[in-house]
Amino acid sequence: MEAVDDGIGEADRLVLEGLRSAGEAWIVGGWVREALWGRHKTDMDIATTLQPSEVKELFPRSLMVGEKYGTVIVRLDESISDNTWEVTTLRSEGSYGDGRRPDQVEFGHSIEDDLARRDFTINAMAIDSDGDLIDPFGGISDLKEGILRAVGYPLGDPAVPGERLGEDGLRIMRAYRFLDSADGMRSMEGSLRSAVKDNLEMLDVVSRERIGVEMMRILGGRVPGEVVSQMLEDGVMGQIMSDIACT
């Protein structure tokens, strides 16, 4: 475990303490990456052992936007904060029949199992109630070395990167967005890049709107020219160009 400088705001603490009064809760996602570099510009996402209905009981103003998938948008009283927190019940997922959403979701109690279902190692880290980093897939090492790698590889089978992309076609676009970093452009690990080229058709099952949102994030990054250049080289731009034109 590695202690992480928290940088947690007062409203963040209220949400975390509220969740932890009834269960367990971990900070996950982009906030963790930012914290490791001493930056806190990203909204805080939280994973919890609590069910969506239990989160709603604790925070009555919550929006049940993705209750089926365990996701609740927590809101505090407006007099305290107008921020929102995406809170998701720990889960493990089955097959992805439509290449976008899991056919079934099973809620769980293991943060390690929850992190194992995520896309890239730099997104598969969490911060616990003691402020310690949970990093079962070497995300901090990849973050420091500037590498984008699929969760489960090389710890698992070389086919894993293709499996990660096959679960959710939007992960192809996310891969290129995460090439952008404050220190320049990350390097996409070889098997992941090969998997992207082998799974371009997965982009066809992703909505134009979602692709457009990711593309705008890429273009708003620090090195958009370099990222788009690699997308062209890998065949991604050719696959999505007609979709972009319609958004």
Side-chain angles (χ1 to χ4, degrees):
M1 298 290 186
E2 177 172 339
V4 179
D5 174 35
D6 57 22
I8 299 174
E10 200 57 42
D12 298 325
R13 290 188 187 281
L14 287 175
V15 174
L16 288 167
E17 289 172 0
L19 294 170
R20 289 166 177 164
S21 71
E24 295 181 84
W26 299 261
I27 305 171
V28 295
W31 197 97
V32 179
R33 294 195 309 275
E34 296 287 338
L36 290 170
W37 295 116
R39 308 181 185 101
H40 302 282
K41 299 180 180 179
T42 305
D43 292 339
M44 181 182 288
D45 295 338
I46 301 171
T48 182
T49 55
L50 299 178
Q51 300 280 314
S53 59
E54 295 175 303
V55 176
K56 177 74 170 179
E57 288 181 13
L58 291 168
F59 303 101
R61 296 187 69 242
S62 296
L63 303 176
M64 310 300 278
V65 296
E67 183 176 4
K68 177 181 178 181
Y69 301 102
T71 299
V72 175
I73 301 300
V74 167
R75 300 188 301 174
L76 297 175
D77 188 280
E78 292 178 342
S79 64
I80 300 174
S81 174
D82 57 3
N83 289 346
T84 60
W85 294 260
E86 185 173 294
V87 177
T88 303
T89 306
L90 294 179
R91 63 194 192 191
S92 60
E93 297 164 348
S95 60
Y96 288 65
D98 64 358
R100 184 66 191 96
R101 296 179 179 85
D103 297 326
Q104 61 183 23
V105 172
E106 293 186 5
F107 297 139
H109 296 278
S110 168
I111 184 62
E112 288 80 8
D113 288 348
D114 186 83
L115 295 176
R117 70 176 178 80
R118 297 173 184 265
D119 49 11
F120 311 115
T121 61
I122 63 173
N123 293 332
M125 298 181 285
I127 298 174
D128 66 15
S129 57
D130 294 322
D132 290 331
L133 180 69
I134 301 172
D135 180 22
F137 300 102
I140 190 169
S141 175
D142 288 342
L143 194 63
K144 291 177 178 178
E145 294 179 17
I147 297 174
L148 187 71
R149 192 189 312 271
V151 166
Y153 182 82
L155 302 180
D157 190 283
V160 165
E163 294 173 3
R164 292 282 83 84
L165 299 181
E167 291 167 350
D168 182 351
L170 190 65
R171 286 176 173 174
I172 293 177
M173 296 298 295
R174 284 168 57 83
Y176 290 92
R177 171 157 65 92
F178 289 125
L179 291 184
D180 186 284
S181 77
D183 301 314
M185 185 167 165
R186 293 190 176 98
S187 173
M188 191 180 295
E189 187 272 327
S191 67
L192 175 58
R193 191 171 184 184
S194 294
V196 166
K197 297 175 183 178
D198 291 339
N199 287 274
L200 292 176
E201 72 281 355
M202 289 298 301
L203 289 165
D204 297 338
V205 301
V206 182
S207 72
R208 293 192 300 267
E209 291 77 13
R210 297 300 298 276
I211 288 176
V213 167
E214 290 298 326
M215 195 68 214
M216 291 304 295
R217 289 173 175 171
I218 289 169
L219 294 176
R222 303 172 183 86
V223 287
E226 295 176 51
V227 175
V228 170
S229 177
Q230 183 165 324
M231 293 174 73
L232 283 165
E233 184 177 338
D234 294 346
V236 175
M237 291 300 293
Q239 192 78 19
I240 67 172
M241 190 63 72
S242 60
D243 285 345
I244 293 175
C246 295
T247 58

